[in-house]
Amino acid sequence: MTRQRASDGPRLSRRRLLGGLGAAAATGLAGCSASGAEDDYDVGMTAVAFDPPEFTISVGETVVWRNTSSRGHTVTAYGSGIPEDAEFFASGGYETTQEARDAFTSEFGGAIDSGETWSHTFEVPGEYEYFCIPHEQAGMVGTIVVEE
């Protein structure tokens, strides 16, 4: 399955190249230049939005978020917005939506600073709704669709 961000142009990112070449090639290219590292993500975080707001993957794949803005962000699942058997996810490793909210409010826990990345592997098919704690009221919400 080829995944493409809404902002992908005709150029081939390092992530897409390695995904297409497979593990053997990835091992051989592991030491290559980090010049493509900025493109090594699936979902970007602008000032108050995830780009793209919806992203589709297959079971067992990992989504990488990159903070492409100058503001701090979080990736926090809505506990009631994920499949019943799915693992909860939140930057900072929190186990519930409320725990993530409390940690961010008290000490900016789970914050992803400008240029940083955070990732999560999705093992259960379904739709996963998530948000950015400090920008939720501005509409910074997203959905990961995981297909069989």
Side-chain angles (χ1 to χ4, degrees):
M1 165 184 230
T2 301
R3 301 180 300 172
Q4 188 169 6
R5 296 189 319 263
S7 60
D8 276 352
R11 67 191 164 105
L12 184 64
S13 72
R14 181 174 184 262
R15 179 179 182 83
R16 289 175 55 207
L17 172 67
L18 293 177
L21 293 174
T27 301
L29 293 175
C32 72
S33 167
S35 63
E38 287 184 18
D39 294 333
D40 198 17
Y41 64 93
D42 301 303
V43 179
M45 299 177 208
T46 66
V48 290
F50 291 105
D51 179 28
E54 183 173 299
F55 191 68
T56 300
I57 61 169
S58 296
V59 169
E61 289 188 318
T62 300
V63 174
V64 177
W65 287 264
R66 176 179 289 280
N67 184 344
T68 56
S69 79
S70 60
R71 298 177 172 191
H73 295 291
T74 69
V75 173
T76 308
Y78 285 110
S80 61
I82 63 175
E84 188 174 317
D85 296 333
E87 176 185 1
F88 179 81
F89 63 97
S91 53
Y94 305 103
E95 295 185 18
T96 67
T97 303
Q98 191 59 53
E99 185 180 321
R101 285 185 193 277
D102 292 345
F104 186 83
T105 301
S106 67
E107 59 193 44
F108 299 108
I112 302 166
D113 292 326
S114 182
E116 292 182 340
T117 61
W118 184 81
S119 64
H120 180 74
T121 302
F122 293 84
E123 301 293 348
V124 176
E127 289 192 9
Y128 294 74
E129 297 175 352
Y130 67 96
F131 67 104
C132 171
I133 294 171
H135 302 111
E136 179 182 21
Q137 294 302 315
M140 190 167 180
V141 297
T143 304
I144 302 297
V145 178
V146 181
E147 299 176 336
E148 290 281 353

